Amino acid sequence: MTSYSCCLVLLLFTWNTSAYGPNQRAQKKGDIILGGLFPIHFGVAAKDQDLKSRPESVECIRYNFRGFRWLQAMIFAIEEINSSPTLLPNMTLGYRIFDTCNTVSKALEATLSFVAQNKIDSLNLDEFCNCSEHIPSTIAVVGATGSGISTAVANLLGLFYIPQVSYASSSRLLSNKNQFKSFLRTIPNDEHQATAMADIIEYFRWNWVGTIAADDDYGRPGIEKFREEAEERDICIDFSELISQYSDEEEIQQVVEVIQNSTARVIVVFSSGPDLEPLIKEIVRRNITGKIWLASEAWASSSLIAMPEFFRVIGSTIGFALKAGQIPGFREFLQKVHPKKSPNNGFAKEFWEETFNCYLPDGSKNSPASTSFHKGHEEGLGAGNGTSAFRPPCTGDENITSVETPYLDYTHLRISYNVYLAVYSIAHALQDIYTCTPGKGLFTNGSCADIKKVEAWQVLKHLRHLNFTNNMGEQVDFDEFGDLVGNYSIINWHLSPEDGSVVFEEVGHYNVYAKKGERLFINENKILWGGFSKEVPFSNCSRDCLPGTRKGIIEGEPTCCFECVDCPDGEYSDETDASACDKCPEDYWSNENHTSCIPKQIEFLAWTEPFGIALTLFAVLGIFLTSFVLGVFTKFRNTPIVKATNRELSYLLLFSLLCCFSSSLFFIGEPQNWTCRLRQPAFGISFVLCISCILVKTNRVLLVFEAKIPTSLHRKWWGLNLQFLLVFLCTFVQIVICVIWLYTAPPSSYRNHELEDEIIFITCHEGSLMALGFLIGYTCLLAAICFFFAFKSRKLPENFNEAKFITFSMLIFFIVWISFIPAYASTYGKFVSAVEVIAILAASFGLLACIFFNKVYIILFKPSRNTIEEVRCSTAAHAFKVAARATLRRSNVSRKRSNSLGGSTGSTPSSSISSKSNHEDPFPLPACAERQRQQQRGCKQKVSFGSGTVTLSLSFEEPQKNAMANRNAKRRNSLEAQNSDDSLMRHRALLPLQ
């Protein structure tokens, strides 16, 4: 059974080896063997396997010069280690390197070779088999390139815990240690690269992009991570397509149509060069320009894409590249390659043929198919599929430095350095095993592995705990996911002015160790867009919203597609593309462009504005006129007119009018708390004091004229003390109202923001409108009572209380304050104060003009009417008029009674008043016409009524004063006896008061 197993395994190994002849591997014996997987070709030839015969291994095509350089980096590192006296002394590293042809099938085919050899060694078949040609087990594998290929290889190698150190597979899926137990890498994973791509787009303020990804384990996870990062930054994706180097022409055409019709100018591509190449060729054929290509590390420096004939289409490429490393002596090593000098490198022969476009006749497969070779390109077909007629034979003396190929492009060693670092990582892990001290090892009980019988899983254990310093002085240690954290260089494609080739200009870097927001650095001055422009291209779904506007959502469109909406009043935006407008502070308002906030305009009834000046002038005028009237009354205080108007109450009335005019000034100017609390009480108390004076004055005269003959008691109670007491009591009620108001809800200054958005109205908050209503209502109540008495006494002698004028003044008062109520309720802001000031001034001027201007006119311009005789004449005329009216009324009653009894109308012989019945129309009572003559002989008046005429005569000669008093007494007694002259005596009794 054991022999059978041995034969089976040998058969498998033999078949695998036969599939890879000597010219298809690089191999060298050693104490410890390292495996290598490199893409020496870009792909395989399409072949229909109809299974009519034994299937053959597919043929690799399209030579990859960079892949061969990476292979050379591994061989160089191994030879350098073998020659080192300190690293693995007395130990020789060998290698077995295979071509993956950039495909999973070829990579797995090579991996089976590694696994098969390890299984043979695990069976210990040396005693059964002749193993003189035995090759030791492969204890570690360097490779592969693409993430999709590495994923397949890692699944297979992980079954046997063979460590795999990749130099170019960056898919974040490979960090899953549950699935890929033995996978490590010397390249950062794509998670950082995807984040860096999103940061670049955000840096240039782009938000409208398309994405293209290779349909494999490299492209799909990378672009998925980018989408996550883009969503966090509000970057919208217009389209997302998958590609492959094996996509048919129709699929490529569909992707190109999407790109051509898209408005997104930035295209993010997670792909390798071979997968992207068919798409780029079709885009070049259609001449689709103006796109910005954001390249992942896998193709950012690919010689398949970075070709001069493609530059007009992809010249605006910005890509990521690994940090370049230094490999001393590597340049000279690359130049020494020669088929005859590299017997262990089976790929050297094909490299020579492809480099010099010739063939080596001693090879079994020595002529390539019809292929046009372009200097410096990777488009040449693989060898072995045609005749030699199309290529001249190689002489072997060609100079490798005379030909420009990507193989000798060692200016930026990125992947090559990662290969170099991967080999040294394995070597240092072996060194740790070699120098391990028993008891301090990583295995059970601190044991160490035997370097001569080391197994792959033991190397894997030491790789996980590896920590060494590379030749550049940097620490190398794999994290828990088997990754090395590294930084990226940011490159921009330029055309070389010397030879027209594509060069990669470093324009920035991305530091994954820095804080978020500080990782990206870009030197924009070095970037050329499209190969010549310095202006950053625009790639947004909508144009930027300028300051003063915000982004508005368009229904049915992505969030990046928006319309610019002006900020509403009171809000602003001071940045471009603001998502929302900010509200201005309470005391501020947005400017005209809504880009900032400015202080709101403050309005109140100011002293300096025209309206405030006009009201102030009217108030001052009122104060001046009132003061003038008060001065006139003071100067002429002993004249009959002043005396007849109740001199003391007139002074108080004028003082109250001064207070009324002055109180209006409290409503002008910026409202303060103290002015707000003072102005309404000052206005209310002043007006009540004024109305109270008018009320008491009018009521006193009316009561005297309508009362019976005044006694000493009447005179006592109707003296000045009682008058002032009544004024005080009426005013005191208003004072109480004001005190209660100020105590319970005092007015205060108030900044009103609600009336108009752009204006702050500084007004007085009255505290209680009910209290204000009581204040004005009580004033109007007194005014109504005063109006009643004034109207009732309108026919009294005007010398006593000017009733008609008081009536007019009260009418004006009512009109003003009744109009004030709707005006006050309908206005706002500073006009509220203005309305009240106008009402105060109008009412005050009405009272002043109606009550005092007529008196002042008589005093100043008609002094002849300001005499005691004029006052007495007017008083007597009024008395006789009342008496005559009463006599006629009684005569009419007697006549009607006599007519009903059949008698005749008679006269009263004792009466000194003669009456003639007639039906003439009444005429007004005239004044004494000739005052000088009337002073000598008295005054005769003829009074006409509706039912008769009465002639009255009265003498006021000074020498006959006592006789007149006696006659008046007799007349009073006679009228009292006849009950016809009661009213006459009542009014004549007022004469001593004058």
Side-chain angles (χ1 to χ4, degrees):
M1 182 66 182
T2 304
S3 297
Y4 178 76
S5 299
C6 177
C7 292
L8 182 62
V9 172
L10 286 174
L11 179 63
L12 175 64
F13 181 68
T14 303
W15 177 81
N16 185 269
T17 304
S18 64
Y20 277 83
N23 292 330
Q24 293 177 301
R25 71 171 65 182
Q27 180 172 303
K28 182 179 181 181
K29 292 181 180 181
D31 299 323
I32 297 174
I33 300 298
L34 303 184
L37 298 173
F38 294 92
I40 308 302
H41 295 84
F42 282 113
V44 295
K47 188 175 183 180
D48 183 19
Q49 300 285 358
D50 57 6
L51 300 180
K52 292 182 178 179
S53 59
R54 181 185 295 274
E56 296 180 1
S57 179
V58 291
E59 187 176 14
C60 298
I61 58 173
R62 302 173 62 212
Y63 196 80
N64 183 3
F65 287 94
R66 293 178 70 203
F68 183 70
R69 186 181 72 209
W70 301 337
L71 179 148
Q72 289 286 77
M74 179 176 177
I75 295 175
F76 175 79
I78 291 175
E79 292 184 358
E80 193 175 60
I81 292 168
N82 287 338
S83 61
S84 173
T86 58
L87 191 59
L88 295 176
N90 303 321
M91 297 291 296
T92 302
L93 295 181
Y95 53 83
R96 284 201 301 152
I97 303 173
F98 296 99
D99 179 13
T100 64
C101 299
N102 205 38
T103 60
V104 172
S105 60
K106 283 293 184 179
L108 289 177
E109 193 175 345
T111 305
L112 283 174
S113 173
F114 304 139
V115 173
Q117 183 62 49
N118 284 28
K119 291 306 294 181
I120 292 174
D121 289 348
S122 67
L123 293 176
N124 293 319
L125 298 178
D126 291 345
E127 57 183 295
F128 301 103
C129 305
N130 180 11
C131 297
S132 58
E133 298 296 327
H134 174 63
I135 298 177
S137 300
T138 302
I139 53 92
V141 176
V142 177
T145 308
S147 295
I149 297 173
S150 286
T151 300
V153 171
N155 280 319
L156 184 55
L157 294 178
L159 294 175
F160 305 98
Y161 291 91
I162 300 174
Q164 175 189 359
V165 183
S166 176
Y167 49 85
S169 299
S170 56
S171 173
R172 61 183 181 138
L173 297 180
L174 292 167
S175 295
N176 185 351
K177 293 298 106 179
N178 292 325
Q179 184 176 358
F180 308 106
K181 302 178 181 63
S182 62
F183 180 84
L184 303 97
R185 52 187 164 191
T186 56
I187 184 174
N189 78 47
D190 288 332
E191 187 161 350
H192 298 296
Q193 187 176 184
T195 303
M197 284 182 166
D199 285 344
I200 286 180
I201 292 173
E202 186 178 35
Y203 176 86
F204 288 112
R205 304 182 64 84
W206 297 325
N207 65 13
W208 190 238
V209 302
T211 63
I212 296 174
D215 191 10
D216 56 22
D217 289 337
Y218 169 72
R220 288 191 302 269
I223 212 66
E224 182 61 33
K225 175 63 178 176
F226 170 77
R227 286 197 195 97
E228 295 173 5
E229 296 291 334
E231 186 175 354
E232 292 181 4
R233 294 164 174 79
D234 293 329
I235 299 170
C236 298
I237 297 175
D238 183 28
F239 63 87
S240 186
E241 300 291 335
L242 296 175
I243 59 173
S244 170
Q245 63 176 316
Y246 302 111
S247 298
D248 57 35
E249 186 177 350
E250 184 179 354
E251 292 174 339
I252 296 296
Q253 294 283 353
Q254 290 177 353
V255 175
V256 173
E257 287 288 342
V258 170
I259 295 173
Q260 190 170 16
N261 296 328
S262 173
T263 57
R265 295 188 62 186
V266 174
I267 302 175
V268 179
V269 182
F270 254 96
S271 174
S272 63
D275 285 325
L276 183 62
E277 183 188 18
L279 178 67
I280 295 299
K281 285 183 175 179
E282 180 61 24
I283 291 175
V284 171
R285 189 185 69 82
R286 295 196 184 192
N287 194 28
I288 301 174
T289 59
K291 302 294 183 181
I292 300 104
W293 299 84
L294 193 54
S296 64
E297 177 276 330
W299 73 274
S301 56
S302 172
S303 55
L304 277 180
I305 311 299
M307 302 175 68
E309 54 265 36
F310 295 168
F311 190 81
R312 72 178 188 276
V313 169
I314 55 174
S316 295
T317 298
I318 291 182
F320 290 88
L322 300 175
K323 185 177 179 181
Q326 301 285 333
I327 307 178
F330 187 49
R331 177 178 181 179
E332 292 75 13
F333 178 80
L334 292 177
Q335 293 175 353
K336 291 178 182 179
V337 66
H338 195 280
K340 294 181 180 180
K341 297 178 182 179
S342 306
N344 297 320
N345 191 345
F347 300 105
K349 175 181 177 295
E350 186 179 0
F351 165 75
W352 198 265
E353 292 177 336
E354 293 295 331
T355 300
F356 298 104
N357 196 22
C358 62
Y359 73 96
L360 294 172
D362 58 344
S364 58
K365 297 180 182 180
N366 55 6
S367 64
S370 176
T371 304
S372 61
F373 175 77
H374 298 280
K375 188 177 181 179
H377 295 177
E378 297 176 2
E379 288 291 319
L381 297 176
N385 57 348
T387 64
S388 61
F390 299 97
R391 283 185 177 179
C394 299
T395 62
D397 296 327
E398 291 85 358
N399 183 6
I400 191 68
T401 60
S402 63
V403 180
E404 184 179 341
T405 65
Y407 171 74
L408 290 178
D409 183 12
Y410 40 75
T411 54
H412 298 288
L413 298 177
R414 307 180 194 278
I415 300 298
S416 298
Y417 183 76
N418 285 353
V419 174
Y420 180 82
L421 190 59
V423 175
Y424 264 87
S425 298
I426 298 170
H428 277 278
L430 293 171
Q431 178 71 12
D432 291 342
I433 295 174
Y434 182 79
T435 58
C436 179
T437 302
K440 296 183 180 180
L442 300 177
F443 305 103
T444 306
N445 299 324
S447 60
C448 298
D450 185 358
I451 189 64
K452 295 182 179 179
K453 296 182 180 180
V454 67
E455 297 183 34
W457 64 272
Q458 294 171 326
V459 177
L460 177 60
K461 178 68 174 178
H462 277 271
L463 279 170
R464 289 179 177 176
H465 293 82
L466 183 66
N467 193 334
F468 74 99
T469 303
N470 63 15
N471 67 326
M472 296 179 64
E474 299 172 342
Q475 286 295 118
V476 178
D477 60 323
F478 297 100
D479 62 17
E480 57 181 325
F481 304 109
D483 299 336
L484 286 182
V485 179
N487 299 325
Y488 292 99
S489 296
I490 300 174
I491 59 175
N492 180 223
W493 291 11
H494 292 185
L495 271 181
S496 172
E498 298 175 358
D499 56 7
S501 63
V502 178
V503 295
F504 309 118
E505 180 72 22
E506 187 170 335
V507 295
H509 61 264
Y510 188 83
N511 184 0
V512 298
Y513 298 100
K515 295 180 186 178
K516 189 175 182 180
E518 300 178 359
R519 297 173 181 172
L520 180 66
F521 169 77
I522 294 180
N523 186 350
E524 292 190 51
N525 294 326
K526 290 185 176 182
I527 298 178
L528 292 178
W529 304 100
F532 61 89
S533 176
K534 290 283 187 179
E535 183 180 355
V536 178
F538 179 82
S539 184
N540 294 51
C541 184
S542 302
R543 285 288 174 183
D544 293 343
C545 289
L546 300 177
T549 63
R550 64 170 179 85
K551 294 188 289 188
I553 297 175
I554 301 176
E555 188 175 355
E557 295 290 338
T559 56
C560 299
C561 300
F562 51 82
E563 58 183 352
C564 295
V565 181
D566 291 336
C567 290
D569 292 338
E571 297 183 9
Y572 75 101
S573 66
D574 55 0
E575 60 183 13
T576 304
D577 277 348
S579 299
C581 298
D582 298 320
K583 284 191 174 182
C584 291
E586 187 178 19
D587 291 343
Y588 289 81
W589 193 249
S590 56
N591 61 1
E592 184 178 356
N593 297 326
H594 299 279
T595 55
S596 62
C597 291
I598 56 176
K600 287 184 177 180
Q601 180 182 349
I602 296 178
E603 279 201 4
F604 53 85
L605 189 59
W607 298 99
T608 55
E609 65 175 288
F611 201 19
I613 294 173
L615 294 177
T616 302
L617 290 177
F618 277 108
V620 171
L621 177 63
I623 294 172
F624 171 76
L625 291 177
T626 305
S627 301
F628 175 76
V629 172
L630 181 60
V632 170
F633 267 54
T634 303
K635 182 177 181 180
F636 298 94
R637 60 185 176 276
N638 295 320
T639 60
I641 288 292
V642 176
K643 286 184 177 182
T645 55
N646 202 334
R647 180 173 50 195
E648 289 75 11
L649 278 180
S650 294
Y651 293 158
L652 186 59
L653 177 58
L654 288 169
F655 171 75
S656 66
L657 285 174
L658 280 175
C659 294
C660 290
F661 284 114
S662 300
S663 68
S664 65
L665 298 177
F666 290 117
F667 292 83
I668 305 174
E670 182 177 354
Q672 306 290 337
N673 286 336
W674 69 272
T675 57
C676 290
R677 291 169 186 162
L678 184 61
R679 65 182 192 173
Q680 297 292 7
F683 142 70
I685 294 172
S686 300
F687 265 95
V688 166
L689 179 61
C690 177
I691 301 300
S692 299
C693 292
I694 297 173
L695 174 63
V696 171
K697 188 170 121 175
T698 305
N699 189 41
R700 173 183 175 275
V701 176
L702 180 65
L703 290 176
V704 169
F705 268 97
E706 293 189 352
K708 294 183 179 181
I709 297 175
T711 64
S712 60
L713 183 64
H714 284 106
R715 297 186 181 187
K716 176 182 178 181
W717 282 105
W718 280 104
L720 287 176
N721 292 336
L722 180 61
Q723 297 175 41
F724 284 115
L725 177 62
L726 290 175
V727 171
F728 171 75
L729 291 177
C730 292
T731 308
F732 182 73
V733 174
Q734 187 77 307
I735 293 174
V736 171
I737 293 174
C738 294
V739 169
I740 295 174
W741 182 9
L742 294 177
Y743 180 77
T744 57
S748 59
S749 177
Y750 172 63
R751 298 171 73 89
N752 194 329
H753 299 265
E754 300 175 358
L755 297 177
E756 288 191 18
D757 295 329
E758 303 177 22
I759 302 174
I760 298 176
F761 290 100
I762 303 181
T763 60
C764 284
H765 187 273
E766 303 300 349
S768 172
L769 289 178
M770 182 179 294
L772 179 62
F774 275 117
L775 183 141
I776 297 177
Y778 178 69
T779 305
C780 291
L781 175 63
L782 291 181
I785 297 173
C786 184
F787 174 78
F788 172 75
F789 287 124
F791 181 79
K792 192 171 182 181
S793 59
R794 68 190 183 281
K795 295 182 180 180
L796 295 181
E798 63 180 10
N799 306 70
F800 280 90
N801 73 335
E802 58 280 332
K804 288 190 298 182
F805 299 108
I806 293 178
T807 303
F808 289 144
S809 68
M810 291 300 104
L811 284 174
I812 293 173
F813 185 88
F814 279 121
I815 292 171
V816 168
W817 290 108
I818 289 174
S819 303
F820 165 77
I821 294 173
Y824 185 87
S826 60
T827 55
Y828 61 90
K830 65 181 181 181
F831 300 107
V832 174
S833 298
V835 166
E836 194 160 357
V837 170
I838 292 172
I840 292 172
L841 294 178
S844 300
F845 274 115
L847 292 173
L848 179 65
C850 291
I851 295 175
F852 291 103
F853 281 5
N854 183 50
K855 301 278 186 294
V856 172
Y857 175 76
I858 292 175
I859 291 172
L860 297 179
F861 301 105
K862 298 290 184 179
S864 59
R865 295 179 58 184
N866 188 14
T867 60
I868 187 65
E869 292 80 6
E870 182 74 15
V871 173
R872 286 176 175 176
C873 177
S874 176
T875 303
H878 178 76
F880 282 111
K881 182 177 179 180
V882 173
R885 187 183 293 112
T887 301
L888 290 176
R889 186 166 53 252
R890 284 192 296 273
S891 298
N892 290 335
V893 172
S894 299
R895 187 182 300 110
K896 290 179 181 178
R897 187 179 297 119
S898 299
N899 291 336
S900 62
L901 296 175
S904 60
T905 302
S907 62
T908 305
S910 60
S911 177
S912 63
I913 304 171
S914 61
S915 174
K916 293 188 288 183
S917 295
N918 55 58
H919 300 282
E920 297 175 3
D921 293 335
F923 55 88
L925 180 67
C928 298
E930 302 179 44
R931 288 177 175 80
Q932 296 297 329
R933 189 159 45 97
Q934 288 172 354
Q935 290 177 2
Q936 300 297 327
R937 20 182 218 101
C939 179
K940 250 181 203 183
Q941 299 283 359
K942 184 175 182 179
V943 184
S944 176
F945 298 98
S947 57
T949 300
V950 178
T951 301
L952 307 175
S953 62
L954 188 63
S955 175
F956 296 107
E957 293 180 3
E958 291 296 332
Q960 300 175 348
K961 187 175 182 180
N962 293 332
M964 183 182 67
N966 292 332
R967 287 195 302 270
N968 287 341
K970 293 177 181 180
R971 187 180 295 111
R972 192 162 50 247
N973 293 334
S974 176
L975 291 173
E976 288 176 355
Q978 298 178 11
N979 295 324
S980 62
D981 54 348
D982 294 339
S983 296
L984 177 63
M985 293 297 103
R986 189 181 305 121
H987 292 286
R988 289 193 60 196
L990 288 171
L991 292 177
L993 296 176
Q994 306 304 322

